[in-house]
């Protein structure tokens, strides 16, 4: 089945990674976009190889490159789940190529975020620490529950991920923390209690605590706990398949095609 030239062409960065390979499968199966490029870091042993063969299957006619600008110039969108330094560089290059940049990368510093914001003056950037429908709905629920309850209810965010994850708290935990803080009408930086250790003293009223578990092949689990005297509410999301993130990212890339330059998130994409 041929795909029309009008179908958006997408480049996947970090294509050999867990999310990179999942994105390739989801894009190719979707019938709604063409995979037109695949980027890996210079020196990676997939560079110069056919992507399908590198992934252990039949050739697909896309050669893995370490030249992002050349790849982006042929695309309408770039989907990027890599690492902070790479994502900041890709934001500038995608803006130069006027391609929609979908960013799933987490662990971004304030400086990284400022540089991404600068790139969004010239192009559409859609960024979220979690691209799944379920988590973005949970973000909205968390904001509502936090707004409905007073500070007698302690808020704790507990997340679990696979042993390879390099950043904590997860991007999702930070999204949930920001929503809870918004519900309380304060910025998260004023309320945030990082992971506890040692003689910490009693919990501070109104603060939002974070805890992270790392192990095995856990795809991603997040609990938002509202704990009061005599009762507890737990809002939970459990991811069992990375395809949920890839499907969300593809949806964002298509949604972004007719939007004005600026920074957007998955709540915009999903209309939540
Ligand atoms: N927003 C969301 O919904 C989700 C976000 N994530 C986030 O996505 C990111 C990636 O996760 P995951 O796929 O598990 O991680 P992986 O380590 O499996 O993949 C990252 C890939 O990016 C590559 N990479 C790093 N730097 C560059 C560069 N300069 N140029 C090209 N490629 C580069 C890595 O190459 P190398 O191995 O050589 O370093 C690797 O192949 C993380 O930040 C994670 O938290 C993950 C899932 C969902
Ligand atoms: O690194 C991961 O795997 C994931 N990262 C995102 C995060 O930091 O929240 C999203 C998802 O939980 C998987």
């Amino acid at each position: 089945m041929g795909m029309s030239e009008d179908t958006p062409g997408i480049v996947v960065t970090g294509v050999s990674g867990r999310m990179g390979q999942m994105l390739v499968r989801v894009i190719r199966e979707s019938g709604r976009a063409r995979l037109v490029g695949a980027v890996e870091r210079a020196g990676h042993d997939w560079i110069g190889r056919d992507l399908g063969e590198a992934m252990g299957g039949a050739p697909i006619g896309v050669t893995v490159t370490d030249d992002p600008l050349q790849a982006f110039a042929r695309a309408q969108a770039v989907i990027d789940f890599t690492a902070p330094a790479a994502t900041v560089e890709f934001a500038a290059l995608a803006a130069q190529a006027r391609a929609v940049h979908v960013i799933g990368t987490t662990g971004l510093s304030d400086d990284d975020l400022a540089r991404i914001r600068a790139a969004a003056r010239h192009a559409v950037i859609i960024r979220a620490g979690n691209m799944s429908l379920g988590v973005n709905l949970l973000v909205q629920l968390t904001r509502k529950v936090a707004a409905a309850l007073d500070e007698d209810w302690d808020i704790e965010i507990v997340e679990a991920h696979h042993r390879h994850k390099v950043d904590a708290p997860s991007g999702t935990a930070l999204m949930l923390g920001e929503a809870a803080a918004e519900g309380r009408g304060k910025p998260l930086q004023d309320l945030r209690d990082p992971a506890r250790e040692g003689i910490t003293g009693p919990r501070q009223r109104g603060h939002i605590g974070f805890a992270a578990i790392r192990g095995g092949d856990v795809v991603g689990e997040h609990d938002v706990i509202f704990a009061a005297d005599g009762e507890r509410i737990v809002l939970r999301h459990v991811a069992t398949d990375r395809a949920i993130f890839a499907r969300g990212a593809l949806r964002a890339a298509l949604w972004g095609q007719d939007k004005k330059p600026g920074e957007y998130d998955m709540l915009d994409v999903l209309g939540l």
Side-chain angles (χ1 to χ4, degrees), residues 13-20 39-41 44 81-83 86 89-90 103-106 128-132 162 165 167 242 245:
T13 58
V15 75
S16 76
R18 280 174 289 277
M19 280 305 300
V39 174
E40 253 306 335
R41 65 161 86 241
H44 194 283
F81 288 65
T82 54
E89 182 197 330
F90 294 153
I103 301 176
T105 307
T106 58
N130 195 306
M131 302 264 170
S132 75
H162 53 92
K165 187 162 178 63
D167 56 309
R242 286 188 177 82
F245 312 129

Side-chain angles (χ1 to χ4, degrees), residues 118-138:
R121 287 204 297 267
H122 311 287
V124 174
I125 295 185
I126 303 156
R127 184 181 67 81
N130 195 306
M131 302 264 170
S132 75
L133 172 61
V135 158
N136 283 279
L137 199 56
L138 187 68

Side-chain angles (χ1 to χ4, degrees), residues 168-242:
S170 68
T172 311
L174 290 171
M175 283 167 70
L176 294 166
E178 270 156 20
E182 252 177 70
R184 291 217 154 142
K186 292 183 182 154
L188 179 59
Q189 69 205 37
D190 292 358
L191 304 181
R192 180 172 167 173
D193 270 353
R196 301 184 182 90
E197 193 187 311
I199 312 295
T200 59
R203 191 181 198 289
Q204 265 191 270
R205 189 177 161 79
H207 276 205
I208 299 172
F210 288 84
I213 294 162
R214 295 287 176 266
D217 60 358
V218 178
V219 174
E221 300 186 3
H222 293 85
D223 280 4
V224 185
I225 303 169
F226 296 85
D229 290 340
E231 57 184 327
R232 205 153 70 233
I233 300 168
V234 182
L235 303 182
R236 168 173 298 168
H237 182 268
V238 178
T240 56
D241 186 344
R242 286 188 177 82

Side-chain angles (χ1 to χ4, degrees), residues 71-86:
F72 296 178
R74 284 184 272 119
Q76 281 71 55
V78 174
I79 305 187
D80 174 21
F81 288 65
T82 54

